[in-house]
Amino acid sequence: MPLSEHEQRLLEQIERALVDDDPKFASTVRTGDARLKARRKVQLGALLVVVGLAVLVLGAVVPQVVLGVLGFLVMFGGAVLGLLNYKHAAGAVEAGGAPGRPAAGRGRAPKARRQPLKNRLEERFRRRYDQ
């Protein structure tokens, strides 16, 4: 459904105000869908894993240790690239955070900040000692 002229003018005014107010954020938003870029990185990672596996097998068939190591490194790099971008490509968003940022869980309340391990152990010791 197209916007009316009045709505288009309001949208343009909002966009201009956003660019004037925070140009860095405006350029980040204008660059496109970050999830699409993350999906492409995951696909590239999967392709690198397949190519690396092929090079690794080729290095095993043709007795070339360097070729096998190179295949392993390509495969490992593809796996790392895919795993680092998987959560963002899936579209997980923090419950209280800004959209486009990866999160631990979808639709869950944010976890309360935990005390350091040392403090928790000391507290547990004090409770046991007081009993």
Side-chain angles (χ1 to χ4, degrees):
M1 179 175 193
L3 298 174
S4 68
E5 281 186 40
H6 177 68
E7 291 171 332
Q8 287 178 351
R9 276 187 269 130
L10 285 174
L11 183 61
E12 289 173 7
Q13 288 175 355
I14 292 170
E15 288 175 353
R16 274 188 249 122
L18 176 64
V19 170
D20 293 341
D21 191 41
D22 194 356
K24 186 177 178 183
F25 176 72
S27 67
T28 303
V29 172
R30 194 179 301 131
T31 59
D33 188 13
R35 284 182 288 169
L36 182 62
K37 291 178 184 177
R39 284 185 192 128
R40 286 185 184 150
K41 286 182 182 179
V42 169
Q43 291 170 349
L44 177 64
L47 179 67
L48 285 175
V49 167
V50 171
V51 169
L53 184 62
V55 172
L56 182 68
V57 169
L58 182 67
V61 171
V62 180
Q64 288 286 334
V65 175
V66 175
L67 203 56
V69 170
L70 181 68
F72 174 77
L73 291 176
V74 169
M75 196 170 64
F76 183 74
V80 168
L81 181 68
L83 290 174
L84 288 177
N85 290 291
Y86 177 73
K87 194 177 278 190
H88 193 66
V93 178
E94 289 183 23
R101 292 194 175 179
R106 201 178 227 180
R108 286 188 265 169
K111 289 184 178 179
R113 187 169 180 174
R114 294 179 63 173
Q115 294 179 346
L117 178 63
K118 179 184 170 192
N119 293 350
R120 288 182 295 180
L121 291 175
E122 286 177 358
E123 182 65 31
R124 190 184 324 174
F125 178 77
R126 285 188 189 119
R127 276 187 268 143
R128 286 183 183 170
Y129 185 74
D130 290 340
Q131 288 179 355

